[in-house]
Amino acid sequence: PLMKMDGNSKRKLSKRKDPELALTYYKAEGFPIAAVREYIMTILNSNFEDWRRANPDADLDDFKFSPKKLNPAGSLFDYAKLTDVSKNEIAKMDAPKVYSLLSQWAEEFDPDFAAKLTADADYATRILAIGRGGKKPRKDLATWQEAKPYMGFFYDEYLQKPVFDSRFDKETVVHALNLFLERFDITDDSAVWFDKVKAITEEMGFTTDMKAYKADPTAFPGTVADVSTFIRVAVTGKTNSPDLYTVMQILGYERTVERIRNTIAALN
């Protein structure tokens, strides 16, 4: 066979021995066609990855395929490598293209999510634009299937119930959130916004000096990272999310404030 599969890939395709069904599996997972093509070339020609490093923006069709570079013993199909290649491919796409491909995939495999995406294409595109472009674009997505867990909190129907670190009591979390609401101004730039978060941190007796905290964690009840996480969890339901300032800009003032107030009410 041209490609040999590793154990992980065999398990994933154990019930899909028919080649057409195997391809359907990868389509359902949400691997972009461009990513699959790119990955296949890495296992077909041994010199492809060197060529790609030298030509990061070149069209795949510009690569000169050579039968002489085929591995006579066959190539190992590496699912993890495919995922990594796909993550890089999606990171290179602009937001409109990601929106187009994601919404097409969702129409077939997740109609409810597709309805959310297409109800306001501009809103969805703004979400997908977070961290794109520049020399180091974010690489949050490897497949379209990962998009809803990544960005679902932007839609109220998918917002998860906030769960806070048990190290902090409810009163502490509520105090931080109330202080943030008192100072929150949607027109602030990111620097001013974060200065306010730092001011809240110090007002609560937490620290913005991460080196001092690492040197003696018992000297402070928490850090600016903890305060930021209180706000992040209240707004997104997640401890990890894209840039929180940008998230709030996209959600807007009213929805951001409503989520924080709802969290405070649930904790009281």
Side-chain angles (χ1 to χ4, degrees):
L2 184 61
M3 296 182 293
K4 298 177 181 177
M5 291 189 174
D6 60 16
N8 186 45
S9 297
K10 286 180 180 178
R11 286 191 294 275
K12 287 178 178 291
L13 298 179
S14 62
K15 297 181 180 179
R16 297 175 170 83
K17 295 181 180 179
D18 183 278
E20 184 175 341
L21 289 177
L23 292 175
T24 299
Y25 167 80
Y26 289 108
K27 180 181 179 183
E29 282 286 286
F31 286 103
I33 293 174
V36 176
R37 291 184 67 218
E38 186 85 6
Y39 172 68
I40 288 175
M41 289 310 303
T42 70
I43 59 178
L44 289 182
N45 262 200
S46 58
N47 61 326
F48 175 76
E49 292 186 77
D50 288 338
W51 176 85
R52 174 54 78 199
R53 279 190 287 270
N55 303 275
D57 301 318
D59 190 292
L60 180 63
D61 292 332
D62 292 340
F63 175 70
K64 298 186 183 301
F65 175 81
S66 172
K68 295 181 180 180
K69 296 293 185 179
L70 287 169
N71 186 341
S75 301
L76 179 66
F77 190 92
D78 186 342
Y79 190 88
K81 179 70 175 292
L82 169 60
T83 300
D84 187 60
V85 169
S86 185
K87 189 174 293 186
N88 288 327
E89 282 298 303
I90 294 176
K92 291 190 294 185
M93 300 175 185
D94 61 22
K97 183 172 183 178
V98 173
Y99 170 77
S100 176
L101 295 176
L102 172 59
S103 56
Q104 289 174 35
W105 174 86
E107 287 283 357
E108 182 174 357
F109 297 103
D110 192 341
D112 182 73
F113 186 37
K116 300 288 191 302
L117 294 171
T118 56
D120 190 339
D122 180 66
Y123 180 68
T125 303
R126 288 180 66 199
I127 297 168
L128 294 167
I130 298 175
R132 291 198 171 274
K135 294 182 179 180
K136 293 184 177 181
R138 291 180 62 94
K139 298 180 180 181
D140 298 291
L141 303 177
T143 69
W144 303 134
Q145 193 175 82
E146 296 176 353
K148 186 160 70 173
Y150 164 70
M151 62 186 286
F153 68 84
F154 278 99
Y155 300 92
D156 294 337
E157 296 87 342
Y158 298 148
L159 182 64
Q160 298 177 356
K161 180 181 178 181
V163 178
F164 296 92
D165 192 323
S166 60
R167 291 186 300 125
F168 302 99
D169 57 38
K170 293 180 180 180
E171 290 75 17
T172 298
V173 176
V174 167
H175 184 44
L177 296 179
N178 276 322
L179 289 176
F180 179 79
L181 285 179
E182 291 173 7
R183 296 162 171 77
F184 180 49
D185 185 339
I186 197 70
T187 65
D188 287 340
D189 62 27
S190 59
V192 172
W193 178 90
F194 191 55
D195 282 343
K196 289 182 177 180
V197 175
K198 290 191 290 186
I200 292 168
T201 300
E202 294 174 349
E203 185 173 333
M204 293 179 62
F206 286 36
T207 183
T208 58
D209 188 338
M210 298 305 294
K211 288 184 178 179
Y213 182 77
K214 289 179 180 179
D216 184 9
T218 63
F220 308 95
T223 71
V224 65
D226 295 314
V227 174
S228 297
T229 299
F230 297 158
I231 302 167
R232 186 184 306 278
V233 173
V235 174
T236 71
K238 299 162 68 75
T239 55
N240 292 300
S241 74
D243 177 67
L244 185 55
Y245 170 81
T246 306
V247 166
M248 291 182 176
Q249 292 295 308
I250 294 174
L251 285 173
Y253 178 82
E254 291 185 2
R255 291 178 73 194
T256 297
V257 169
E258 180 183 17
R259 290 185 177 192
I260 296 174
R261 285 177 175 164
N262 287 342
T263 300
I264 291 171
L267 289 172
N268 282 328

